[in-house]
């Protein structure tokens, strides 16, 4: 029996993981159903657009600015080993648009938005506000989850686009002021080598990441345990699961977009 | 009339309700008493559909609540939650008028606001409270706002979950009197959960005691003090000595 204990523990963990995946999948299916069926709450949706989109701009912008600058320095340092310094503008642009813009934007929004959503909905659950919504003939999935998920799915591509632009600008500033690039040549190289799909793939990734961020925030908030500890755990779980799912989804989407 | 029959509900291995039978006649105020953790709130949430019972039936005016159309069913109910459960992201008037601003009872915002202010006045709050946020109010004021929200759509049935918990005796008396006045005025059917005996004496027409997952005693409030059920007598007297274990 003692020898079987580790196998039993592994089995229990696997079953628990499968059950969690199943619960998230069911929650996701319910969310999609409530997004596409009335009633809709446009005021809630607009509020979430402001909360998720507008108020995340500074975080995403600053992250992109410093990342673009650091990327230019790294590519210049690496490229100089085989006399390829000239690729800095194009690699910065492609790197920001395809990978760093959406992934870092998604992760920063996961930290800010998934945590906020989980804390808010978790507190609402603990203080019986979710029950109150039901007694007031309002479905919590429609009133809380659907507007947040739709708003995040629409906001993230816009944030990614803004982040891409600011990141490329960060690379441009470092390239022209620190690395001695000609401003005009830098811009030409950026535009000439950047293709439509480089940008579009990043925006699609952004939409998927936005969906993940809001879904994880709502799921963990709605399933929060009791008390401050329960809400705290829900918040942590929301950020961790959103971040991991973003990185996993990024790999899968990159496989789909660029190797298929 | 609310008719609860053979209601069972367990959470994992913890059997909370073990065959509750209770009838609440229309227009009466029934108070459910019982110790902490005896399943009073679970019973109330089963009626509202917030918790799904394992077995048993609940009917409202002969209609099985499990099969009723949810929106139409819930439109008949108002509820005052233990902690108020006010939405802290919106001002007081929007909390009170929540049901009047969306769904089947939706009406213009100005009209909904007028109704909200009228209901606030009914529970003794001045119109300037309407623009405040719940976090700016004291516990007693939050209860009053919760009460105003519960009666805003003039429901047929109102539930009060521990209406005086956390309030000082004077404010408890004010809330109890308000509930009694409103219940009488509206002619609504009400079910109140409490272990505050002053609330029971003020609010109740009938009293039911829940113990060990079943209704232990039920009758008019006027007969409560003379009842010879040892569990009820111990609960009323608040004594540690008796059949109810003091440490649960």
């Amino acid at each position: 029996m003692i020898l079987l204990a580790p196998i039993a523990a592994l089995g229990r963990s696997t079953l628990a993981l499968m059950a969690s995946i199943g619960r998230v999948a069911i929650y996701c299916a319910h969310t999609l159903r409530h997004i596409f069926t009335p009633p809709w709450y446009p005021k809630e949706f607009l509020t979430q657009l402001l909360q998720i989109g507008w108020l995340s701009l500074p975080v995403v912008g600053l992250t992109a600015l410093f990342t673009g600058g650091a990327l230019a320095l790294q590519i210049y340092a690496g490229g100089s080993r085989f006399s390829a310094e000239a690729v800095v503008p194009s690699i910065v642009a492609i790197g920001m648009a395809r990978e760093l813009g959406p992934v870092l934007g998604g992760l920063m929004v996961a930290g800010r938005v998934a945590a906020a959503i989980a804390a808010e909905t978790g507190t609402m659950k603990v203080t019986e506000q979710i029950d109150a919504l039901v007694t007031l003939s309002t479905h919590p999935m429609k009133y809380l989850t659907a507007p947040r998920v739709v708003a995040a799915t629409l906001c993230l591509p816009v944030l990614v686009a803004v982040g891409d632009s600011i990141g490329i600008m960060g690379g441009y500033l470092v390239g022209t002021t620190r690395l001695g690039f000609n401003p005009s040549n830098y811009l030409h190289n950026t535009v000439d080598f950047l293709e439509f799909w480089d940008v579009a793939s990043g925006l699609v990734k952004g939409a998927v990441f936005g969906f993940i961020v809001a879904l994880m925030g709502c799921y963990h908030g709605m399933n929060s345990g009791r008390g401050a500890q329960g809400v705290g755990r829900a918040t942590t779980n929301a950020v961790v699961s959103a971040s991991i799912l973003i990185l996993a989804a990024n790999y899968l989407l990159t496989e789909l977009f660029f190797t298929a | 009339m609310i008719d609860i029959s053979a209601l069972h509900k367990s959470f994992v291995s913890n059997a909370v309700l073990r065959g509750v039978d209770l009838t609440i006649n229309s227009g009466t105020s029934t108070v459910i008493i019982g110790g902490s953790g005896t399943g009073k709130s679970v019973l109330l949430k089963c009626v509202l559909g917030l918790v799904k019972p394992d077995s048993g039936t609940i009917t409202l005016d002969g209609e099985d609540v499990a099969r009723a159309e949810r929106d139409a069913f819930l439109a008949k109910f108002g509820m005052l939650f233990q902690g108020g459960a006010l939405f802290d992201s919106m001002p007081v008037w929007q909390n009170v008028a929540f049901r009047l601003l969306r769904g089947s009872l939706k009406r213009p915002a100005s009209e909904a606001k007028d109704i909200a202010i009228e209901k606030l006045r009914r529970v003794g709050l001045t119109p300037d409270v309407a623009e405040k946020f719940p976090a700016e109010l004291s516990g007693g004021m939050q209860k009053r706002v919760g009460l105003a929200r519960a009666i805003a759509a003039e429901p047929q049935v109102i539930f009060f979950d521990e209406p005086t918990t956390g309030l000082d005796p004077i404010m408890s008396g004010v809330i109890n009197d308000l509930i009694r006045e409103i219940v009488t005025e509206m002619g609504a059917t009400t079910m109140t959960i409490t272990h505050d005996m002053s609330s029971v004496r003020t609010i109740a027409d009938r009293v039911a005691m829940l113990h060990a997952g079943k209704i232990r005693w039920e009758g008019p409030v006027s007969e409560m003090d003379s009842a010879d059920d040892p569990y009820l007598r111990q609960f009323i007297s608040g004594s540690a000595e008796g059949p109810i274990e003091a440490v649960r």
Side-chain angles (χ1 to χ4, degrees), chain B residues 146-159:
Chain B
L147 184 55
R149 184 173 69 182
I151 63 171
E154 308 205 336
Q156 290 175 32
V157 184
I158 312 175
F159 288 168

Side-chain angles (χ1 to χ4, degrees), chain B residues 55-96:
Chain B
S55 62
T57 56
I58 304 167
T59 60
L60 174 67
D61 296 332
E63 187 183 15
D64 189 339
V65 302
R67 292 179 193 157
E69 203 276 309
R70 287 295 288 165
D71 278 358
F73 169 73
L74 288 168
K76 295 175 183 170
F77 284 85
M79 175 147 177
L80 170 61
F81 284 84
Q82 192 173 338
L86 301 177
F87 305 123
D88 35 30
S89 60
M90 55 182 73
V92 162
W93 80 264
Q94 287 186 21
N95 266 280
V96 176

